[in-house]
Amino acid sequence: MALQKATLPNGMQVSCINSFSVADVHRQVQQYFRHGITVRPGDTVFDVGGNIGLFSLLVYEKCGGNVTVYSFEPIPAIFEALRENLSNLDARQLKPFNCGLSNEARIATFAYRPNMPTVSSLYGNDDGEMQDQLKSALLKNLAATPLNLRWLRLLPSFARNFLMGKAMRTAFEAVDVECQLRRLSDVVREEHVERIDLLKVDVDKSEFDVLEGIDDADWARIQQVVMEIHDLDNRLDKITTLLKKHGITNITVEQEEVLQGSNVYALYASRPKE
């Protein structure tokens, strides 16, 4: 599939899989910098679940180009867009990896969703439940949905329900793709990373796997964490407990308005300032 082009609000043109979703992803990546989460010139950032690179580009812009970003995207088609977008800037500072991060190095089968690349996932076996949750949350919170969906408020409830269900089924159409997984600590050693000023994780239900791939000795390198969490099997509590165990104790958890009623949360965490 040939890559499409989209233009960001700042005028920058980017490569993408589906241009219609870029504006919403661009809005979402702005939300990572809340509750004290910051980046500064000279920082090192891990962008886990890099997608087409909009978060990496935002970090680069915020730091005036003086930043090192390791960006990880396992799906080959999405990675091509990521690679193109980062290659337009300083290759020494922006480092794309065509792999995901997990609790072990292996080849795994991902559900790649070309119609909605941002919900491609290693865990596709409970998509029926996820679709139902997203559909219910979006219908309940239509005023907060992306602009291209708000017109649904003009329709009677049965029509809204039918069209949203159809949109969810289309969005979740999947193709199986074999992808490489690695451990975060292995990358840290190979790349001689001394410090991770911000670890961003958005990996659609694989977030705990990513954290399990961090050796105890490497947790001290991590200063801030921001991540999307699917609260399955008490995962939210498990992750907050793990972070606190390793000294990352300033933690805020919230739920985006459009996702209220689902099991998807955003977590912002940092070490106490010395």
Side-chain angles (χ1 to χ4, degrees):
M1 179 185 296
L3 293 176
Q4 299 180 16
K5 295 290 183 180
T7 302
L8 301 181
N10 65 2
M12 177 183 240
Q13 192 173 69
V14 295
S15 299
C16 57
I17 304 297
N18 284 318
S19 58
F20 67 85
S21 65
V22 170
D24 191 47
V25 176
H26 182 266
R27 177 192 62 80
Q28 289 174 358
V29 299
Q30 317 294 318
Q31 302 302 309
Y32 288 118
F33 294 99
R34 295 163 54 84
H35 304 293
I37 300 297
T38 60
V39 287
R40 298 179 175 84
D43 277 357
T44 296
V45 175
F46 271 40
D47 181 3
V48 186
N51 196 254
I52 65 170
L54 297 192
F55 178 77
S56 294
L57 294 176
L58 178 60
V59 168
Y60 187 87
E61 180 182 0
K62 282 181 172 289
C63 294
N66 181 15
V67 65
T68 302
V69 183
Y70 297 84
S71 188
F72 303 87
E73 174 52 51
I75 308 290
I78 304 175
F79 175 77
E80 282 307 305
L82 169 69
R83 183 188 57 78
E84 280 195 17
N85 292 331
L86 300 193
S87 69
N88 294 326
L89 300 171
D90 191 342
R92 297 168 300 174
Q93 305 299 113
L94 300 175
K95 304 175 184 290
F97 290 76
N98 188 192
C99 66
L101 296 185
S102 189
N103 50 15
E104 63 177 341
R106 61 188 175 97
I107 302 295
T109 302
F110 277 69
Y112 166 47
R113 300 187 170 94
N115 297 321
M116 189 184 287
T118 55
V119 294
S120 299
S121 176
L122 174 61
Y123 296 104
N125 55 0
D126 62 347
D127 283 345
E129 179 184 350
M130 185 175 179
Q131 285 186 56
D132 290 343
Q133 279 204 8
L134 284 176
K135 174 185 171 183
S136 177
L138 289 171
L139 287 172
K140 179 182 176 182
N141 306 297
L142 272 175
T145 58
L147 290 173
N148 61 346
L149 291 177
R150 293 183 192 175
W151 62 272
L152 288 171
R153 289 182 294 173
L154 303 175
L155 301 178
S157 60
F158 76 90
R160 290 198 301 267
N161 188 68
F162 172 79
L163 290 174
M164 187 66 78
K166 183 178 180 180
M168 286 292 106
R169 290 190 295 274
T170 299
F172 277 79
E173 290 176 355
V175 178
D176 286 348
V177 178
E178 298 293 299
C179 302
Q180 178 68 55
L181 294 174
R182 301 179 65 188
R183 296 178 68 252
L184 187 149
S185 281
D186 293 342
V187 176
V188 164
R189 281 193 294 274
E190 291 174 17
E191 297 291 322
H192 307 290
V193 177
E194 296 295 328
R195 176 183 170 105
I196 300 174
D197 295 283
L198 175 59
L199 170 62
K200 169 261 182 182
V201 181
D202 185 351
V203 289
D204 287 277
K205 296 179 283 187
S206 298
E207 51 271 10
F208 196 68
D209 295 349
V210 173
L211 300 185
E212 286 186 315
I214 303 173
D215 294 337
D216 284 347
D218 288 328
W219 274 101
R221 305 178 193 272
I222 301 170
Q223 307 305 308
Q224 301 177 105
V225 177
V226 59
M227 63 194 307
E228 179 185 89
I229 297 176
H230 293 253
D231 191 21
L232 305 167
D233 302 320
N234 204 32
R235 186 175 300 167
L236 185 56
D237 284 344
K238 290 178 181 177
I239 288 175
T240 55
T241 298
L242 180 63
L243 294 176
K244 289 176 181 177
K245 172 186 173 183
H246 292 289
I248 304 174
T249 55
N250 293 333
I251 298 175
T252 299
V253 176
E254 66 180 18
Q255 193 168 47
E256 192 175 354
E257 183 179 357
V258 70
L259 294 174
Q260 289 179 4
S262 75
N263 63 8
V264 182
Y265 295 85
L267 177 144
Y268 307 79
S270 61
R271 294 187 181 279
K273 297 189 183 301
E274 298 179 355

